[in-house]
Amino acid sequence: MGFKERLRDEIEYRGLLIKEVSAAVGISNSTFLSYIDARGVLPNVETAVKIAKYLGVTVEYLVDGEESEKEKTSAESEKIESGKSLLVNSYEKLSAHDKQILVKIASTMAK
């Protein structure tokens, strides 16, 4: 797996759109697409840093897939918190009946 695959995976994992990321880092959509399509163009260092910061990863991770133990722990904590937040937000949107069902399912799974 290379830069373009890891970049694409991070964007998908976070549920982002290409245009959101490209706008956030200040580059055109077509330039950003060149980083993740078959061309596999690598961004300059400044742009790579902006992309990595926006996605909450390191440039090193995007380039070679390696993370330090500190980064792994931090990333894992962030994923857990993100998952909790998603669950709470989803729960709040449910009807009272569906909330009861979900609580029963969660209780059963936790046993």
Side-chain angles (χ1 to χ4, degrees):
M1 182 181 290
F3 179 88
K4 70 179 181 179
E5 291 85 9
R6 276 187 285 280
L7 179 56
R8 193 178 314 122
D9 286 351
E10 284 299 319
I11 292 167
E12 285 179 23
Y13 172 76
R14 294 175 190 320
L16 300 170
L17 299 173
I18 302 297
K19 64 182 179 180
E20 289 177 277
V21 182
S22 62
V25 298
I27 58 175
S28 72
N29 219 23
S30 61
T31 298
F32 195 88
L33 286 171
S34 73
Y35 303 151
I36 61 172
D37 67 13
R39 293 174 280 177
V41 173
L42 292 174
N44 65 42
V45 174
E46 184 180 311
T47 302
V49 169
K50 288 179 183 178
I51 292 169
K53 282 184 179 180
Y54 184 76
L55 295 175
V57 298
T58 63
V59 174
E60 291 82 3
Y61 170 74
L62 290 175
V63 173
D64 64 18
E66 295 293 321
E67 293 180 282
S68 69
E69 285 304 314
K70 180 180 175 185
E71 292 165 338
K72 286 179 187 176
T73 302
S74 176
E76 199 57 40
S77 295
E78 184 180 312
K79 287 178 184 177
I80 290 169
E81 288 305 314
S82 177
K84 286 180 183 178
S85 178
L86 178 62
L87 282 173
V88 170
N89 289 338
S90 298
Y91 179 84
E92 295 299 327
K93 295 175 184 176
L94 297 175
S95 68
H97 180 261
D98 288 345
K99 286 178 181 177
Q100 290 175 343
I101 293 171
L102 184 58
V103 168
K104 287 179 184 177
I105 291 169
S107 297
T108 303
M109 291 178 73
K111 291 180 183 177

